[in-house]
Amino acid sequence: MALRSGGVKPLLLGPRATTGLGSPPFATGVQPRAARPDAPTSFQPSSASSRNPGAPRESPAKLTGLHFPDCSGPPSCRTSSSARFPQRLFDWRHDSRLLRFPSCYPSPRTLRRPSAHFRSVTYFRFAGRAVDGLKRRSRLRLGFRGSRAQHGFLTSLLHGEVFEIEEHISERQAEVLAEFERRKRARQINVSTDDSEVKACLRALGEPITLFGEGPAERRERLRNILSVVGTDALKKTKKDDEKSKKSKEEYQQTWYHEGPNSLKVARLWIANYSLPRAMKRLEEARLHKEIPETTRTSQMQELHKSLRSLNNFCSQIGDDRPISYCHFSPNSKMLATACWSGLCKLWSVPDCNLLHTLRGHNTNVGAIVFHPKSTVSLDQKDVNLASCAADGSVKLWSLDSDEPVADIEGHTVRVARVMWHPSGRFLGTTCYDRSWRLWDLEAQEEILHQEGHSMGVYDIAFHQDGSLAGTGGLDAFGRVWDLRTGRCIMFLEGHLKEIYGINFSPNGYHIATGSGDNTCKVWDLRQRRCVYTIPAHQNLVTGVKFEPIHGNFLLTGAYDNTAKIWTHPGWSPLKTLAGHEGKVMGLDISSDGQLIATCSYDRTFKLWMAE
């Protein structure tokens, strides 16, 4: 009698049907299921509680929903008795490797989860579909439930291979629970509504402060989510670390003082007595200048700008067979001193540029040579009229009637970059690559101040017109303004990106200009203690800056782009570009009467510029 329950019509076999090979179908030698003591005698339908991940894993047989009323296993696991299993349900043909199910059982198309691995060498068909279990290791998703103890059907079917089910329900459940806990923590975190504070917190956590298209609300939510993962303690710890680093940085940058010699105290008192009357005189002149009508001042400035625009190269002279590193006008504007890398210093007549003296004494590159403030005016030629410095740390003093140095200043062991006279002519300042600058008292013939304060070598130094202040520029990209009457650093010039190669005070008393290796010139205000303007001056590093010495009506800069430029003051707009050198401009100066400009270059020449 045949069973009918759908579209598939099963084949009829006898009670002891065999294959063409004369053996039971799928005979594998595996212990029959009925012979095992743990084999159940029948299958029971599963309950809905089997979907619980914590419940015992159910068997594939139960998952597939195949129920055998008289037997717990497939034909390969039962005896030949026809009473144990209805043979008419299946048609086993080993030669054609065909396995057919009646339509009353679930189609293999519904086999979806979980996965089963078949590694049998036998090719078989489920309802006409072939599966290669050896080559493909197919994974079938089974969509039914069953008991773990009742998986003998598929196990025996696949020639003793193990049926494995990979369940990730517990892992997924843990992830979902963790996400719920994170969201719960996120709801309990208080985030500031100030967008600047939110950005500061994100920056402290190492996250981008803003994303493309992100608004304040989305930024707050992102911070809340980050804090729910890393915890609010991470932000507190970051703030504490920042405070500690800030404190340590402040302690590192803290200025400390120590007691100096009595000669330094005497010098400070002398400088104070010298500078105060000059400051009063400068302020009185500023008041008188302010009383001049605005139209008159404007017309005077226009005439000055017109003359500056007409500046031309008046004289060009080859100064040495090595580059010329520095040039400086005498106080009476009748001589020009040049320093060369050959170790020679030369004095030239102005404006005809004839050689007057050759000063021999240095054995290496000379960094600078400067005239005494009273030289050629009231000072005798036999007295010290000039000072120079070189890369070997030597500092020499010169007179105008001799080609040999009058005296040597000893104390430096490394390169001395610049030397500058105090406006009184009594003191001499030197900058050194040992990260310090020094003040020498030539009347007492001793060093009265050895001042540190830069983290790298100090390159340039300038004195205030009153004589009360000194400004230094260092290779650490910082500048400092020192009060010579008290010894305190009254202003820290921070803003340049590279080394400061030039610094100069304006005659108005409150403006300072600095030139740097970042190709810019910055103007600082002593009253406001900040940078008031940044001039994008040149296309290469700026080697020197100089204010017009009478009223400071314009600013002169020179750079390694082979040019020098003139800028208005105030306004800082370009007036004139002095182009003509074939090499880098290494030094510049303006005569005391403001009529001449001198530039010296790497091309071994110096040039004089004069208005037509």
Side-chain angles (χ1 to χ4, degrees):
M1 179 178 180
L3 298 178
R4 297 177 179 271
S5 61
V8 179
K9 183 176 182 180
L11 299 178
L12 301 181
L13 296 178
R16 293 190 57 84
T18 60
T19 62
L21 300 176
S23 61
F26 286 79
T28 62
V30 179
Q31 181 183 3
R33 177 125 184 140
R36 287 183 281 180
D38 59 341
T41 57
S42 62
F43 289 85
Q44 299 296 332
S46 61
S47 62
S49 63
S50 62
R51 295 185 181 183
N52 186 3
R57 187 179 297 179
E58 296 178 340
S59 70
K62 194 169 183 179
L63 288 172
T64 57
L66 301 179
H67 302 280
F68 303 97
D70 298 330
C71 178
S72 59
S76 63
C77 301
R78 63 179 180 81
T79 61
S80 60
S81 174
S82 59
R84 295 288 306 278
F85 190 82
Q87 293 186 6
R88 295 184 180 184
L89 293 177
F90 297 91
D91 181 12
W92 304 86
R93 296 184 180 179
H94 199 284
D95 53 348
S96 61
R97 299 179 179 129
L98 175 64
L99 172 62
R100 302 193 63 183
F101 292 100
S103 61
C104 61
Y105 293 100
S107 171
R109 295 181 181 180
T110 63
L111 304 181
R112 288 293 180 265
R113 47 170 219 275
S115 61
H117 301 274
F118 296 94
R119 293 183 290 271
S120 175
V121 296
T122 305
Y123 292 89
F124 50 92
R125 292 176 181 270
F126 286 91
R129 289 172 177 255
V131 181
D132 184 354
L134 177 63
K135 297 182 179 180
R136 295 173 52 189
R137 301 183 63 184
S138 305
R139 296 192 176 190
L140 303 181
R141 309 294 292 177
L142 304 181
F144 302 90
R145 303 184 303 272
S147 173
R148 182 179 179 86
Q150 297 174 344
H151 67 282
F153 169 72
L154 292 178
T155 303
S156 301
L157 176 65
L158 299 179
H159 195 43
E161 296 295 330
V162 178
F163 183 86
E164 300 177 357
I165 301 177
E166 298 179 359
E167 295 184 359
H168 301 287
I169 300 177
S170 59
E171 298 178 2
R172 177 60 180 168
Q173 185 180 18
E175 293 177 0
V176 172
L177 291 176
E179 179 64 19
F180 278 120
E181 290 294 331
R182 188 194 65 77
R183 293 182 181 179
K184 182 179 179 180
R185 292 194 303 270
R187 288 193 296 269
Q188 297 174 353
I189 295 175
N190 296 324
V191 179
S192 174
T193 56
D194 188 358
D195 192 49
S196 60
E197 294 184 8
V198 173
K199 291 181 179 179
C201 293
L202 289 172
R203 181 180 289 108
L205 293 173
E207 298 289 336
I209 62 173
T210 184
L211 301 177
F212 181 77
E214 185 182 52
E218 292 84 357
R219 193 176 297 111
R220 291 182 65 247
E221 187 64 25
R222 181 161 62 91
L223 176 60
R224 193 192 306 274
N225 293 333
I226 294 173
L227 291 177
S228 67
V229 175
V230 301
T232 56
D233 294 337
L235 186 59
K236 296 179 182 178
K237 184 178 180 181
T238 303
K239 290 182 178 179
K240 290 181 180 179
D241 294 341
D242 291 343
E243 290 177 358
K244 290 181 180 179
S245 62
K246 187 177 180 180
K247 288 182 180 179
S248 61
K249 188 177 181 181
E250 290 177 354
E251 292 176 357
Y252 178 76
Q253 294 182 350
Q254 185 177 3
T255 304
W256 53 272
Y257 303 91
H258 61 87
E259 186 177 357
N262 186 55
S263 59
L264 178 59
K265 180 180 178 181
V266 173
R268 293 194 189 283
L269 290 173
W270 191 93
I271 292 175
N273 294 328
Y274 173 82
S275 63
L276 289 176
R278 292 173 64 91
M280 294 176 62
K281 181 180 178 181
R282 174 176 54 84
L283 293 176
E284 184 64 26
E285 290 177 355
R287 295 188 189 98
L288 295 176
H289 181 72
K290 191 175 181 180
E291 293 177 358
I292 299 176
E294 182 67 25
T295 55
T296 304
R297 285 183 289 172
T298 303
S299 61
Q300 291 177 355
M301 190 64 66
Q302 290 176 351
E303 291 179 1
L304 175 64
H305 292 174
K306 183 178 179 180
S307 64
L308 291 175
R309 289 190 181 96
S310 64
L311 279 173
N312 285 321
N313 183 10
F314 173 75
C315 176
S316 180
Q317 179 67 271
I318 297 176
D320 199 85
D321 55 358
R322 295 292 306 278
I324 302 176
S325 58
Y326 200 84
C327 61
H328 189 254
F329 279 106
S330 64
N332 63 357
S333 303
K334 299 298 183 180
M335 284 193 295
L336 179 70
T338 58
C340 309
W341 279 11
S342 63
L344 300 178
C345 297
K346 297 183 180 182
L347 301 180
W348 306 83
S349 62
V350 175
D352 51 4
C353 297
N354 293 325
L355 180 62
L356 298 177
H357 296 283
T358 299
L359 308 179
R360 307 176 187 273
H362 290 288
N363 299 320
T364 183
N365 300 359
V366 181
I369 182 170
V370 291
F371 277 96
H372 190 282
K374 298 178 181 179
S375 175
T376 68
V377 177
S378 61
L379 198 62
D380 193 283
Q381 291 189 355
K382 296 180 180 180
D383 295 332
V384 176
N385 284 262
L386 298 105
S388 63
C389 61
D392 57 359
S394 62
V395 178
K396 298 184 181 297
L397 304 178
W398 310 83
S399 64
L400 294 178
D401 62 348
S402 176
D403 295 341
E404 300 294 330
V406 176
D408 292 340
I409 296 179
E410 298 178 353
H412 294 288
T413 57
V414 294
R415 175 181 176 181
V416 178
R418 291 288 187 267
V419 61
M420 185 60 65
W421 289 96
H422 186 266
S424 65
R426 175 178 174 178
F427 305 99
L428 182 69
T430 57
T431 60
C432 187
Y433 269 40
D434 62 358
R435 299 177 293 182
S436 69
W437 65 276
R438 307 189 188 196
L439 192 65
W440 307 83
D441 188 345
L442 298 186
E443 288 186 3
Q445 297 182 0
E446 64 176 347
E447 173 191 307
I448 61 173
L449 178 62
H450 183 182
Q451 182 66 61
E452 297 179 343
H454 290 271
S455 60
M456 297 181 68
V458 185
Y459 195 85
D460 198 14
I461 184 172
F463 288 100
H464 193 276
Q465 188 179 25
D466 300 340
S468 57
L469 305 177
T472 56
L475 302 180
D476 54 1
F478 299 127
R480 287 182 180 268
V481 180
W482 310 87
D483 190 343
L484 298 177
R485 299 163 296 185
T486 62
R488 295 180 179 272
C489 177
I490 63 172
M491 186 173 177
F492 185 65
L493 310 180
E494 181 181 9
H496 281 294
L497 303 179
K498 292 185 178 181
E499 305 86 355
I500 294 179
Y501 292 111
I503 185 169
N504 191 246
F505 284 90
S506 172
N508 62 18
Y510 53 86
H511 277 154
I512 306 174
T514 55
S516 170
D518 59 7
N519 309 347
T520 65
C521 174
K522 289 183 179 292
V523 181
W524 312 80
D525 196 319
L526 282 172
R527 301 167 300 180
Q528 305 178 33
R529 296 194 178 186
R530 67 180 183 90
C531 177
V532 294
Y533 199 83
T534 300
I535 305 174
H538 293 272
Q539 298 177 358
N540 209 329
L541 65 89
V542 180
T543 55
V545 291
K546 185 76 173 181
F547 278 102
E548 187 263 327
I550 302 176
H551 299 104
N553 291 326
F554 64 90
L555 176 66
L556 177 67
T557 62
Y560 270 18
D561 58 1
N562 304 352
T563 63
K565 294 184 179 181
I566 300 175
W567 310 85
T568 62
H569 176 215
W572 318 112
S573 59
L575 275 178
K576 179 71 174 180
T577 299
L578 308 179
H581 284 289
E582 297 178 358
K584 300 172 284 190
V585 175
M586 303 180 69
L588 49 84
D589 194 23
I590 304 174
S591 63
S592 58
D593 56 6
Q595 300 298 318
L596 290 173
I597 294 176
T599 57
C600 58
S601 172
Y602 193 83
D603 60 6
R604 304 170 299 167
T605 66
F606 67 90
K607 297 182 184 296
L608 297 181
W609 308 81
M610 182 183 292
E612 294 180 354

